[in-house]
């Protein structure tokens, strides 16, 4: 393994029995020895469940407020997310854009809030145009970009995976226009059957896994397939 992969479980708006999930995941990991030098695993849980993950040091958020604090009822700021040790945050997920009207302007503000709070942004985009100018021009490469073709996002576990070649082409185009230290993730119907097609792509630095992360066994089998040495062809 020539680089450490970031593998994000995105539980979306699903209720997961967090303690059971963590116990099962820990038992599976223990069988593999120390996997932490090869992969970093984080869980983007619904906000009220984040505190249950804090002790495990694997806490990610699915969203962050565009505001730094104050009279914005219902918002969760970067400062508050840090109270439960959030270290990564998804920003501008296609479902936020589709169902909650998030546009590039909002994504750019959330990106800035995450950086200000010391949270690593994972900016999600379906196309180059969905990467805000402010992100492209940021004076830091300390963030992730997640390519997520909307057609490939599963619905109720119905997978519509993109081909590895198509993903490779898009990431090559993006990388050519970005600072070299920006890391690229892929998300969209990643599951134990197809992850091997993506992990061999040189530019892929990890995955965001939605439906297949709800079951710790399925999620762990994805991770397990990422542990073998890369054979990029
Ligand atoms: P999926 O979701 O793996 O269920 O397609 C990925 C995502 O939307 O983050």
């Amino acid at each position: 393994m020539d680089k450490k992969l970031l593998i994000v479980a995105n539980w979306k708006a699903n209720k997961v029995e967090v303690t059971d999930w963590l116990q099962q995941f820990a038992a599976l990991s223990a069988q593999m020895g120390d996997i932490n030098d090869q992969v970093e695993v984080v869980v983007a849980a619904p906000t009220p469940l984040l505190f249950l993950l804090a002790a495990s040091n694997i806490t990610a958020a699915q969203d962050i407020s565009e505001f730094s604090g104050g009279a914005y009822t219902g918002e969760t700021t970067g400062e508050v997310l840090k109270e439960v040790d959030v270290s990564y945050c998804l920003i501008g997920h296609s479902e936020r854009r589709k169902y909650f009207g998030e546009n590039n302007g909002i994504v750019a503000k959330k990106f800035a809030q995450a950086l200000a709070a010391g949270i690593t942004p994972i900016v999600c985009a379906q196309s180059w145009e969905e990467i805000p100018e402010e992100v492209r021009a940021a004076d830091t490469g300390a963030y992730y970009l997640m390519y997520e073709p909307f057609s490939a996002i599963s619905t109720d576990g119905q997978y519509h995976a993109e081909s590895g070649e198509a993903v490779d082409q898009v990431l090559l185009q993006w990388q050519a226009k970005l600072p070299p230290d920006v890391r690229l993730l892929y998300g969209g119907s990643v599951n134990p059957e197809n992850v091997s097609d993506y992990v061999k792509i040189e530019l892929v630095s990890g995955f965001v896994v939605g439906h297949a992360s709800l079951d710790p066994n399925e999620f762990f089998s994805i991770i397990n397939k990422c542990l073998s040495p890369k054979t990029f062809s």
Side-chain angles (χ1 to χ4, degrees), residues 8-12 90 93-95 124 146 148-150 152-160 186-191 207-213 222:
V8 184
N10 178 12
W11 287 349
K12 307 192 178 186
L90 299 174
H93 190 282
S94 56
E95 290 154 5
C124 310
M146 196 260 273
E148 49 158 2
F150 190 74
I153 304 287
S154 79
T155 39
D156 299 329
Q158 297 299 308
Y159 293 123
H160 312 278
Y186 176 68
S189 290
V190 176
N191 63 45
F207 303 103
V208 177
V209 183
H211 186 82
S213 72
I222 291 175

